[in-house]
Structures are given as structure tokens and as C-alpha cells.
Amino acid sequence: MERIIGIAACSDGQSEKDRERNQLLIEELAKMHIRTKFSPFIYGANSKPAGTGEERGLALMNLFTDEKTEAIFDISGGDTANEILDHLDYKVIEENYKPFFGYSDLTTVLNAIYAKTGRETYLYQLKNLIYDKEGIQRERLQLLADGNGRELFCFQYSFLRGESMEGEIIGGNIRCFLKLAGTPFMPDFTGKILFLESLSGGVSKMITYISHLKQTGAFNKIRGILLGTFTEMEREQLKPSMEDLIIYYTRDLNLPIAKTGEIGHGKLSKGLIIGKRIYLNKNSDTNIK
């Protein structure tokens, strides 16, 4: 049976080179009997948004209210996703809920939808389907389409401090998540597990981001921190590492801290469900019981 998913670009516009990649994405999904419905606002010159924030927001709302669309995947990244937040009708999204996927700059939209509706959202980049030449992502997505998300959302981890943590997950890309600070779109930190990852940024930027989070009072409210991959930091082997920085800046709080190398900006990255309650334990190396 053919299924239909929506494709959006709520952040920066896709380049002309991405047209070919998106065609490959369409073809790969077709092999899985999945048809795509694209937002009219996908492509933008020089990384500029494709349309205004209002136009991109309306296009996303149209995908939410389309009865034939079963899920929505945002394939963009960059800087401008938070522009659409004022143009979304969160009551309508809650009433017409369907799984919404995105990553990186879409951290803003994923957490805003969760904060405003209480609905789970999904930190994952669909275009990994074509970036991964080994077929691993295709297998995971096929299982997800068949109703089994274990392979996509089950990740290994290790503890840096503490032995366990339990709570609903919030967060994502650290730089983009902080765009929500001081807005009504930031989720309540109380009792949550905060997930953080990043593509770019060296030690100075990470210190800035961590300090900002600390100054919001977030570390005094959460139950633990889960670190994903920090691509530039890890590629350049920068010191102190993100793990060292987080441990240092939470040294007086004794917060449990865990690390996974399976969620971030890599082509083999797994997904994370924002708003889902998870339990991590030092005696287990996987988050799924």
C-alpha cells in the first residue's frame, strides 16, 4: 500500500544542487512505496529561506492538516527555522497531530511543538537515506514504516557521571536550542533529560553555549544530560572536550551525564524522540528495555 509523507524546508532554502539529491530521495522512498508531497517553499538562493516565515509556516500547517499525509519530514538546516514559530497554529497541530521529523536548526520547531502541544517530535534527518551508501538508514526507515522504530531510536551510551537518569527528553543542537531561551517556545526544564549535540563550534563557542544554559537555570531543574556527537570538537580533538566542559560546569550539581556517539550530524545518525520518557542505566548500554 502506498503511503504519503510531507516534505518541508522550514529553515534555509535548499540549493539548486539539492534538486538532484531530492530527486534521489524521492526515488529511494518510492522503492519503499512512499510518495512525497513537497512544500512549495523548498529552494532558496545563497542559503536564503525559500519564502517568508509566514509562507513557510503556512506551508507546514497545510501539511499538518492534509488528511492524506501520514508524517512530515523537514529536510533543511541552517539558521532561520525559528522565524516560522509565530506563524504556526499549535492548537491545530495538536488536533491534527502527525509525526514531525527534522534536525539541526529544526531543533527550534521540534521543541516548540512539544512545548506548546505536549506531542512528541522526532530529531532525525531524512536525507541520511541518500547520504548513507551502506543501506543502513534505508533498513531503519523501512522498519519504521512497518511500525518498528527500535533500530532507529535505540542507541548505545555510556555514563560519565552517575549511574542512571529518567525523564522526558528535550533539546537537540545546542546553538539552535538556545534560540528558544526567553521565548514561550522553550520547554519546561523541570524533571527533563537535556540532550545536546553540535556540528560546528570550538571550545570557546561551547563555553558560551554551556554558560548560557547554566544562566537560564536549566541545570538546576533537569534530571540529567545526554551528550550526542560534537562533530568539529571531536574531529579536531579539541581540548577540553565537550564532556570535560559539561562535567566542569555542572561540578556542584552532581547531575548524571551520559554520552552517545550514535546521535548527531553523521550520515549514520540515529533518531531521538523529543518529549519521550526514557530511562538510562549504567548497567545497560541501550536505552530500550
Side-chain angles (χ1 to χ4, degrees):
M1 182 180 68
E2 188 177 66
R3 311 176 78 170
I4 301 174
I5 63 170
I7 303 292
C10 296
S11 188
D12 297 0
Q14 300 272 287
S15 70
E16 287 303 310
K17 291 182 179 179
D18 278 307
R19 287 187 187 273
E20 293 182 11
R21 299 188 186 101
N22 291 340
Q23 184 57 42
L24 289 175
L25 181 63
I26 292 170
E27 293 169 4
E28 284 298 311
L29 290 168
K31 294 176 185 177
M32 301 166 62
H33 306 289
I34 296 174
R35 186 157 59 89
T36 54
K37 179 177 181 179
F38 274 67
S39 158
F41 302 101
I42 297 289
Y43 300 99
N46 301 317
S47 298
K48 293 179 181 178
T52 65
E54 184 175 6
E55 288 171 329
R56 300 190 325 273
L58 179 59
L60 181 59
M61 290 304 306
N62 288 338
L63 291 174
F64 269 110
T65 56
D66 183 353
E67 294 182 358
K68 295 182 179 180
T69 302
E70 295 186 33
I72 304 168
F73 292 80
D74 191 289
I75 58 174
S76 66
D79 296 294
T80 57
N82 65 329
E83 184 186 18
I84 78 164
L85 298 181
D86 292 322
H87 303 293
L88 300 181
D89 189 324
Y90 296 95
K91 182 177 181 181
V92 171
I93 290 175
E94 184 175 5
E95 293 173 349
N96 296 271
Y97 172 75
K98 55 196 62 175
F100 178 71
F101 295 73
Y103 92 138
S104 195
D105 195 37
L106 270 295
T107 293
T108 56
V109 183
L110 297 172
N111 284 274
I113 289 176
Y114 167 66
K116 287 292 190 179
T117 70
R119 298 286 195 169
E120 295 174 352
T121 55
Y122 300 82
L123 187 72
Y124 181 72
Q125 170 58 281
L126 179 64
K127 290 182 80 170
N128 283 335
L129 178 63
I130 59 170
Y131 299 147
D132 165 32
K133 304 303 181 183
E134 300 174 36
I136 295 172
Q137 295 287 18
R138 188 178 191 281
E139 181 180 348
R140 291 171 180 166
L141 285 166
Q142 184 64 68
L143 288 169
L144 180 65
D146 294 339
N148 181 3
R150 181 182 178 88
E151 289 302 316
L152 184 60
F153 299 116
C154 177
F155 58 88
Q156 294 184 329
Y157 60 88
S158 59
F159 269 83
L160 306 177
R161 180 201 289 147
E163 297 185 351
S164 66
M165 63 176 83
E166 182 176 6
E168 294 177 358
I169 284 275
I170 60 173
N173 180 274
I174 187 170
R175 174 182 68 87
C176 301
F177 185 65
L178 281 165
K179 296 179 188 180
L180 300 178
T183 76
F185 305 113
M186 177 65 90
D188 182 3
F189 286 96
T190 306
K192 304 296 194 302
I193 295 175
L194 178 60
F195 172 76
L196 301 170
E197 62 84 32
S198 181
L199 171 62
S200 62
V203 174
S204 293
K205 284 188 178 180
M206 294 306 138
I207 289 174
T208 295
Y209 300 148
I210 296 170
S211 297
H212 192 174
L213 278 169
K214 185 174 183 179
Q215 289 158 11
T216 67
F219 295 156
N220 294 310
K221 298 178 181 179
I222 58 177
R223 290 182 176 171
I225 297 172
L226 174 64
L227 298 176
T229 59
F230 290 79
T231 307
E232 181 178 338
M233 291 278 289
E234 293 167 12
R235 182 184 64 239
E236 304 299 327
Q237 298 183 338
L238 300 179
K239 299 294 183 181
S241 67
M242 188 60 173
E243 294 94 316
D244 293 335
L245 290 171
I246 283 289
I247 288 172
Y248 175 77
Y249 281 94
T250 61
R251 63 192 183 280
D252 299 327
L253 301 173
N254 202 33
L255 270 175
I257 301 171
K259 162 75 174 177
T260 177
E262 295 190 314
I263 304 175
H265 273 69
K267 65 182 180 181
L268 293 178
S269 176
K270 293 190 172 186
L272 191 71
I273 306 175
I274 302 300
K276 183 177 180 61
R277 191 173 193 87
I278 65 170
Y279 176 67
L280 307 184
N281 187 286
K282 192 171 185 176
N283 297 321
S284 174
D285 64 353
T286 176
N287 62 303
I288 292 183
K289 297 179 182 180

